[in-house]
Each structure stands twice: as C-alpha cells, then as structure tokens.
Amino acid sequence: MRFASPLNRPGGLLCPVGLVCLAGALACGTRGVAPEPLVVPVVPTTPVPEYVGTLLAPARIATVPAAQQPAWNAYVLRSRQRMGADQALVAAELTRIGATNVIRPPNTAADFTLLSSWTAAWAATTEGRALIKTVLSYQTASGGWGKHVDYALGPRAPGAGYNSESDEWAYVGTIDNGATVTELRLLAVAAPTDTAARSAFERGASYLMDTQFPTGCWPQVWPLMGSYHD
C-alpha cells in the first residue's frame, strides 16, 4: 500500500507556500478594477510552544555532521508546515462560527484502549459506527490524534482543539499514552467495509511515517512542540 502525505494529495490542504500564492493572487485583483477585500481568517489565540532552545533548534542541528543537517532541517520544516495545516483547519472553523478562542475538547484521565468486543461485526452496529465517527472527527489535518479526549461525549465540535489537558496548542498529534496508534488499531477493524475509516487509517499511517526522525526513532509529539517532547 502506498501512502501519500495529506498536504500533497490531490484535493488535500494547500501547503503554506500555496496559501501565500493564493492570497497574493486574491489581493492583486484585476487591472483597473478595485480588488475584493481579502478576508483574513481568525488566528487561534492559543499559545504555541517555541522551537528556540529545544532539542531540534537550529543551533543544535548545526552541531551534527554536515551531511546529516539537510535531513534534520527538512524534518523540522515539515513539522512546521503540518502544524500550520492543523492550525489553519481550526482557524477556518472559528471564522465560520464567529469565534476567536479555541474550544478545549472534553478530557478523560483514561488512555484510549481497545476492547476485545470491538470486532468487525461490532463496527457495523450503531454503537460501533458512533464511536468510529467520533474518532474520525478528532483526526488532525496532519493525520494524528491527541490524547485523553473523552470520545464518549461525541464528535469534535467546530472550533475545538485537540489538547484536552490545557488551552495550550500542545499534544496536537502524539503517540504518547498509546494515542494515534490505538485509534489506528480501531480504524483497522472497520477499514475493510468502511471507506471513511480506511481513508483515515491511510492518513494516520502516512502521519506516522512523516513523524519518524531521520535516525529512525519517533518523538513523543508531532508536529514538534519543543522541550523534551522532541
């Protein structure tokens, strides 16, 4: 099975460069005609952890052998692009509902775990379809999932973030506490007969491949959020 990045897939999200080009084209208008006012999307006010001083800061990457630096720089750039896509999705929703603050999703202290009763037959039941719909709604634009979201309370609301533990833009896509991997295991149960679950599974698998360090390991959180999480 070949996986494609959701940012590069036809019909997927525009990369940041594409968004800039699109904005420029809209702003220029037609010669002799007043351009239409450019609608600027609401930017979430959620604080974002800084890269400066983290394990993958530019100064740190500069200390590794020169031949390895391009791969690490590309990795960090890809992370920033994916974070931009995640934030753009939420920002567009906030604009649509006329809000400015990201809504914190419902929290649960328990890790998301699979039950032995969650079989292919169960996935076709009303209960199974409801849970799968909720899990699909919490998949980030990058393809991963946050952790400790209470899926029992139903699908993600428009304008909601992915971090149930604070109002900071953090843990937006993580493999900590079994997150993302467990959601993918659930979707794998439904994928043979549920095209939405299969598509989300493929995006999640692509996410895990994008997340992998040039060394072959994985960070705790991706897109990168800084500090020890990197």
Side-chain angles (χ1 to χ4, degrees), residues 23-194:
L26 291 173
C28 289
T30 304
R31 181 183 297 273
V33 178
E36 292 291 331
L38 181 63
V39 178
V40 179
V42 175
V43 177
T45 56
T46 308
V48 178
E50 295 290 338
Y51 284 99
V52 177
T54 69
L55 296 179
L56 293 178
R60 178 73 186 281
I61 294 177
T63 66
V64 304
Q68 298 175 17
Q69 291 180 26
W72 282 107
N73 286 325
Y75 179 82
V76 172
L77 176 60
R78 185 166 70 250
S79 169
R80 290 175 176 170
Q81 291 174 335
R82 298 301 190 270
M83 180 180 284
D86 292 338
Q87 292 177 325
L89 184 151
V90 176
E93 292 177 345
L94 290 173
T95 300
R96 189 164 64 249
I97 65 176
T100 56
N101 294 324
V102 177
I103 303 166
R104 190 192 300 189
N107 174 261
T108 176
D111 294 343
F112 183 50
T113 56
L114 293 182
L115 301 181
S116 59
S117 58
W118 291 356
T119 62
W122 166 86
T125 66
T126 300
E127 178 188 9
R129 288 196 300 269
L131 177 58
I132 291 168
K133 179 181 179 180
T134 297
V135 169
L136 290 176
S137 74
Y138 276 100
Q139 187 175 28
T140 69
S142 296
W145 281 264
K147 67 174 183 176
H148 290 168
V149 173
D150 192 348
Y151 294 144
L153 296 183
R156 174 179 164 273
Y162 303 92
N163 181 10
S164 69
E165 298 179 326
S166 77
D167 291 325
E168 186 178 52
W169 188 273
Y171 290 101
V172 181
T174 180
I175 57 175
D176 193 34
N177 293 89
T180 297
V181 176
T182 307
E183 281 82 357
L184 288 177
R185 292 177 62 198
L186 169 65
L187 296 181
V189 173
T193 57
D194 186 329

